[in-house]
Structures are given as structure tokens and as C-alpha cells.
């Protein structure tokens, strides 16, 4: 290592507020500037010189002022020893103390002239000088003891207790004053050292406590901040920063427990209509932007004392308090706020390059002054959900209050779902067939319509259980059974000359058609039963097209290549878009019965029906109308160019045997 780069002795002096480091001795290591260190060394040498001259003066036996000067120096040495013992530690103090003790002895000699014994004069100086010069801890201690002993011997000689003789008696005589001196010196030394060390320890401990206290304060602040953040995250929705279900539940518990809810409160359960469609078509980023905007609009519709929370997904809950003194007032105020929320959320959203419209369905449940006993908060939440689903069932974009009879509807729905699942396993279903005819009234095929043959309720209409089957997923095994049964029937009709030309139209749910293996499954069923694919027509609704159009087109193309035809059912009632319509490998468009029903009295329905016919012709597609019940309706459709029909005018849906016996031209 380069010497210039190593540490130098006086570059960084040790701290003046702490004891000397282990292994350092003497005043060479005292704190201070180089000038201060030089002054202390010069003082030390000056005192040593004074003491030496005093010793020389004793030997020469002159009565000089050197003895008194040495004594004064001894006082200075003791004072400095005390100061440095308190500030720097024991070792440098003992050096000065050893000189100071002998110097005071010189003053003692000066005051009591005529004492020239080496025991009192020269020996203590020589021992003190050796201890000071060597600077060894144990020798310093021995120095103090020796000085005390010799001074005690001198005091015994001076007082006449002892006359110098060769005997060993003086040693015993000197023990008493020696012990007194040593004990006193040790006591003073102990007080100095303990006080100095104690002071240093107190200072060090105080600083440690201050540093630890500062560290604890800092840690406590960080811990408090972390706890606050954790509590916020645990109680708020990450996307909208609204209170979550947990926080709303706690707030509602406090309101009910404190009695604040006795004046009347309400929970508004808000669900966005068709939010999944938005997410699937425009992406989750756009969906998140809509949720944030809805959260902001809800906050602007309520007061500061009310709470807007997000339960998850597209469901929000608003808690209103202090609405009114009775149930009527509370209901009126809750409805007014609900109407304002409806109006606010119906305004367009600027989510991408164009305006987007979203509507809510709102369920309202009152609490507090309704007079009803609420068993738990969960019960309130269930009632709010029921009211919200009733709003959806009523056509969406509206609000409904919870009513006790809603519970009966829920129980009935649960019972229906359990029965539906049992019906799948026990095969309690059958197919009815409704005739489809051409412009001459000839039977061209049939639409297969499922019926549930309930063991207790009899035949259950599909309008009652198909929506439930869609929601619960039962539609998948149900749709598979329908496709199996229809293909089996096509194979049987192929063996009958008067039935071989008939087609069967099968409704395929969007959920079923999106199955990854649907094409393989359908072709396997056709091959298994030996049915002619050209006699199978799959009816799809527009809801199939709202998700992954490329996959839908690929599946339709693969099935069409085998001869399967496709009809777009309920055209014009859903998410009609000419951009995807022209891409689909369709065979037929179907005019919904809702347009046919009032086609003669409602100009709008008539215009829509005519538009569908024109559109089908322009795309090279066939067109068929369902729900035809009168000759006038059939004639009107024929004049527009629609000749294929189905409806009660020709036949209602019939069991297989009755359909096969149907008297229609073939």
C-alpha cells in the first residue's frame, strides 16, 4: 500500500465525548487540535522539570523557592488529572496524578523544613518518574501505592514515631498512614474514574436513546403509513377507488347498530345492462373506463353522507340514510334518487372514437322504518339483488323495489332449476314440430321445438325454462340432446318417400355454438345416425355474433361445406350489423313474429318486414316469416316477396305422431 494513502496520526482525532479507544495510552491521544496537543506536552515536560529541580534542591539541602513552586505545580497536576479523568479516562489522569503527588510532597517538605530523608524526598519522585515515563497501567497503579507508602514512612519519621534504624520496624510503623493514603487515593481515584465513566456512559446511552427514539419514530411513521395503506386496499376497490363490499357492510352495521337507520334508509343495487357484450366486443380496457365513469357519475348523484360502493364486476351499491320519518317518505326519496341515477347513467359515454350508451337496472330495498325485521345484512343484500333482477326482467333500464312476493318467485326459480337438472338426467324432454310451408302452402320442413314433460306439471313451455337453462349451463346437454333427436328423425324420414324431402330446423344456442369442438360434435352426430346434412338447418340468433366473429364464420363455413344450412333467427331484434351479416355463410333470414303480429296495423313493423325481404334478396338469401296466423298476414308478406311461412295459420307445434299425420300438400 502507498504510504501516502494510509491513515495519518492526526488526520481525524477521536471524539472528545467518548472514552479513549482500547489500546491507546497517555495524553498523546487527547482530543484537540495539534496546537492544543503541543501545549499539553510542553506543560507535561515543564512539570517534570520543576519536579526534578525540586528533587535536586532537596539533595543539595538549600531552602529554595523551588520546593514551593513544585508544590504549586502539584496542585495544577491534581486539577488537570481530575479534569482529564472526567473527560478522557483514567490513564492520562494517573500520569499527572503521580507527578502531582510528589510535587505536593515537595511543598510538604518546604513547609516543614529540615526533613531530608530519601524516604520522603527522593524515592517517591524516582518511582513517580518511572511510572510516568513508562506509562503502563499496572505500573501506574503500583506507582500510586509506592508513593503512598513512602510518604507514609516519611510522615512517620517526621512525627517522631520512627527514627531511621536498620530494623524492619519502620515498615510496620508506616503501614497506618500508608493505608490511609492509599485508601484515600483509591477512593479519589475510584470517584474520578467512575464519575468519568458514568458520565461517558450516560452521554453515550443518552445519544443511543435519542438515536433509537428517532429510529422508532421513523419506523412508527412507516408502520402507520403501511397500516393505513393496507386498510385502504382492504376496504376499497382497486379500479374505481370506491368502498368495496367489506367496507359497505361495516358501515351498514354501524348505521343499524347506532339506530341512525331508524329514520329510514335504502340500498340501491345497480347493474349495468349488457356490460359483458361491451367487454367482449370493445375490450376490457374500454370496460374499465366505463366502470370508472359510472363510479364518478354515481358519486355526483348522492350527498356526502351517502356511500357509493362497488361490489365487483359491473355491480354497484348506493347506501342512502336519513331519508324520511316513515316508509312512504323513504320510498319516495329513494325512488327520486334512483330516477336521477337512471337519467345520469343513460347519458352517452365517450369511451373511444364514438359515443357509447349504457343503461342500468336498479333494485331498491328499504331498511330502518319499514317495520320489517331484518335478520341479517346478507338478507338485505339478497333482497336488493332480487329487486335488481326484477328490474332486468321488466325490460332493463328501469328500477324496482323489493316486495315480499319476490321471495316466492326466487324459491320457485330454485325449484325449477333443480327440476330442470333432474329432467336432463331422466330424459323428460321431447320434440314438437311446427310446419314450414312455401308460397303454395306445401310442407317443406319443420322447426323442432323442445318441450319438457314434467311428471307433475305436465308439458312446460320452453319460454319458461329455456332462459333458465341458458343461465345455468343446462342448455349444453339439452342442446346436444335436441341435435341428436333431430338427426335421428331425419334418418327415419329419409326412409319414407313422402317425408324424405323435409328439413328440420334446430335452434342452436350461442353458448353451444361457441364450444371449441362443436363442428366435430355435430358432424359426428350426423354420421352416427346417417342423416343427410342437407336436410339439417341450424337456426342461430344474432347474439352468437357478438363474440369472436372469425371463429363463428369458420365453424359455419366448415358445416356448410358438408351441406348444413343456416338461418338467422329473430333478425332485427338484437345486434344487427350489416358488416358481419355479409360475411356469414347464411342460407336464410327469418322475420321475427314480433314484426309479423302487427304487420297490418303498425307501419313500422310493415317497413321492417319489407326491409328484411329486400335485404335478403340483395344478399341472395331466402327469407321466411314466423308467427303467421291469418291469411291477410300471409298475403301481405307474399306481396313483399316473402313466400315461406310458419305459424298457427298452417299448424301449431305438434308431437311427432300428429305432425306426421298433418294434412298439408307435400
Amino acid at each position: 500500500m502507498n504510504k501516502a494513502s494510509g491513515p495519518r496520526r492526526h488526520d481525524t482525532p477521536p471524539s472528545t465525548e467518548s472514552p479513549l479507544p482500547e489500546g491507546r495510552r497517555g495524553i498523546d491521544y487527547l482530543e484537540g487540535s495539534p496546537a492544543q496537543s503541543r501545549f499539553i506536552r510542553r506543560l507535561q515536560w515543564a512539570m517534570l522539570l520543576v519536579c526534578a529541580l525540586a528533587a535536586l534542591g532537596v539533595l543539595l539541602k538549600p531552602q529554595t523557592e523551588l520546593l514551593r513552586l513544585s508544590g504549586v505545580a502539584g496542585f495544577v497536576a491534581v486539577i488537570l488529572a481530575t479534569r482529564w479523568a472526567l473527560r478522557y479516562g483514567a490513564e492520562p489522569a494517573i500520569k499527572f496524578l503521580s507527578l502531582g503527588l510528589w510535587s505536593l510532597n515537595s511543598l510538604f517538605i518546604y513547609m516543614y523544613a529540615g526533613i531530608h530523608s530519601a524516604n520522603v524526598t527522593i524515592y517517591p519522585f524516582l518511582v513517580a518518574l518511572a511510572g510516568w515515563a513508562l506509562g503502563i497501567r499496572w505500573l501506574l497503579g503500583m506507582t500510586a501505592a509506592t508513593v503512598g507508602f513512602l510518604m507514609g514512612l516519611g510522615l512517620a519519621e517526621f512525627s517522631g514515631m520512627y527514627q531511621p534504624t536498620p530494623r524492619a520496624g519502620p515498615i510496620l510503623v508506616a503501614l497506618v498512614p500508608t493505608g490511609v493514603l492509599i485508601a484515600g487515593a483509591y477512593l479519589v481515584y475510584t470517584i474520578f474514574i467512575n464519575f468519568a465513566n458514568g458520565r461517558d456512559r450516560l452521554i453515550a446511552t443518552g445519544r443511543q436513546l435519542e438515536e433509537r427514539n428517532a429510529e422508532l419514530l421513523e419506523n412508527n411513521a412507516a408502520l402507520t403509513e403501511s397500516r393505513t395503506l393496507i386498510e385502504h386496499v382492504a376496504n376499497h376497490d382497486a379500479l374505481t377507488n370506491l368502498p368495496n363490499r367489506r367496507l359497505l357492510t361495516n358501515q351498514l352495521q354501524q348505521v343499524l347498530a347506532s339506530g341512525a337507520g331508524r329514520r329510514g334508509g335504502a340500498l340501491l343495487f345497480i347493474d349495468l345492462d349488457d356490460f359483458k357484450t361491451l367487454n367482449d366486443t370493445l375490450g376490457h380496457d374500454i370496460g374499465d373506463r366505463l366502470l370508472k365513469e359510472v363510479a364518478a357519475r354515481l358519486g355526483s348523484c348522492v350527498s356526502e353522507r351517502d356511500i357509493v360502493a362497488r361490489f365487483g364486476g359491473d355491480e354497484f351499491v348506493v347506501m342512502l340514510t336519513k331519508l324520511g320519518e316513515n316508509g312512504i317518505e323513504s320510498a319516495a326519496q329513494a325512488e327520486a334518487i334512483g330516477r336521477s341515477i337512471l337519467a345520469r347513467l343513460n347519458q352517452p359515454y365517450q369511451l373511444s372514437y364514438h359515443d357509447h350508451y349504457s343503461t342500468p337496472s336498479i333494485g331498491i330495498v328499504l331498511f330502518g322504518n319499514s317495520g320489517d325485521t331484518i335478520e341479517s345484512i346478507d338478507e338485505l343484500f339478497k333482497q336488493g339483488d332480487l329487486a335488481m333482477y326484477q328490474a332486468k326482467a321488466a325490460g332493463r333500464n328501469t328500477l324496482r323495489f323489493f316486495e315480499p312476493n319476490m321471495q316466492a318467485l326466487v324459491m320457485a326459480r330454485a325449484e325449477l332449476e333443480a327440476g330442470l337438472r333432474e329432467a336432463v338426467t331422466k330424459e323428460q324432454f321431447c320434440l314438437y314440430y311446427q310446419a314450414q310451408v312455401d308460397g303454395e302452402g306445401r310442407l317443406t320442413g319443420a322447426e323442432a321445438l323442445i318441450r319438457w314433460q314434467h311428471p307433475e306439471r305436465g308439458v312446460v313451455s320452453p319460454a319458461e325454462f329455456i332462459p333458465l337453462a341458458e343461465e345455468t349451463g343446462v342448455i349444453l346437454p339439452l342442446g346436444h340432446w335436441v341435435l341428436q333427436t333431430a338427426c335421428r328423425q331425419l334418418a327415419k324420414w329419409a326412409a319414407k318417400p313422402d317425408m324424405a324431402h323435409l328439413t328440420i330446423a334446430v335452434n342452436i344456442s350461442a353458448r353451444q355454438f361457441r364450444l371449441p369442438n362443436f363442428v366435430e360434435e355435430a358432424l359426428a352426430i350426423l354420421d352416427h345416425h346417417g342423416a343427410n346434412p342437407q336436410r339439417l338447418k341450424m337456426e342461430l340468433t344474432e347474439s352468437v355474433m357478438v363474440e369472436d366473429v372469425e371463429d363463428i364464420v369458420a365453424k359455419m363455413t366448415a358445416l356448410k361445406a358438408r351441406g348444413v344450412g343456416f338461418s338467422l333467427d329473430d333478425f332485427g331484434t338484437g345486434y344487427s350489423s350489416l358488416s358481419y351479416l355479409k360475411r356469414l355463410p347464411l342460407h336464410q333470414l327469418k322475420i321475427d313474429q314480433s314484426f309479423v303480429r302487427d304487420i297490418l296495423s303498425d307501419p313500422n313493423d310493415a317497413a321492417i318486414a319489407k326491409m328484411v325481404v329486400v335485404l335478403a334478396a340483395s344478399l341472395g338469401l331466402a327469407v321466411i316469416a314466423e308467427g303467421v296466423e291469418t291469411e291477410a298476414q300471409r298475403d301481405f308478406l307474399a306481396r313483399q316477396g316473402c313466400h315461406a311461412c310458419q305459424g298457427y295459420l298452417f299448424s301449431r307445434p305438434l308431437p311427432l305422431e300428429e305432425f306426421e299425420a298433418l294434412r298439408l300438400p307435400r
Side-chain angles (χ1 to χ4, degrees), residues 537-614:
K537 183 166 57 176
M538 294 185 178
E539 292 193 357
L540 306 177
T541 60
E542 293 178 352
S543 60
V544 176
M545 312 305 164
V546 300
E547 192 173 310
D548 199 355
V549 176
E550 297 296 335
D551 178 67
I552 299 301
V553 171
K555 289 177 179 178
M556 292 177 65
T557 302
L559 290 170
K560 185 177 181 181
R562 289 288 301 272
V564 177
F566 289 94
S567 176
L568 191 58
D569 196 9
D570 303 337
F571 181 73
T573 63
Y575 308 95
S576 302
S577 173
L578 297 180
S579 63
Y580 73 72
L581 185 61
K582 65 181 181 181
R583 299 175 55 194
L584 300 179
L586 292 169
H587 168 72
Q588 185 183 69
L589 294 182
K590 197 170 191 180
I591 302 175
D592 188 70
Q593 60 182 343
S594 61
F595 301 129
V596 176
R597 182 182 305 111
D598 299 322
I599 198 172
L600 300 177
S601 58
D602 190 334
N604 292 327
D605 288 345
I608 292 174
K610 184 176 181 179
M611 179 272 298
V612 174
V613 174
V614 172

Side-chain angles (χ1 to χ4, degrees), residues 110-121:
Y110 176 81
M111 294 171 61
Y112 299 94
I115 299 178
H116 306 292
S117 173
N119 294 331
V120 182
T121 57

Side-chain angles (χ1 to χ4, degrees), residues 63-74:
Q63 299 298 323
T64 66
E65 292 294 321
L66 290 174
L67 293 175
R68 185 167 63 86
L69 183 60
S70 176
V72 173

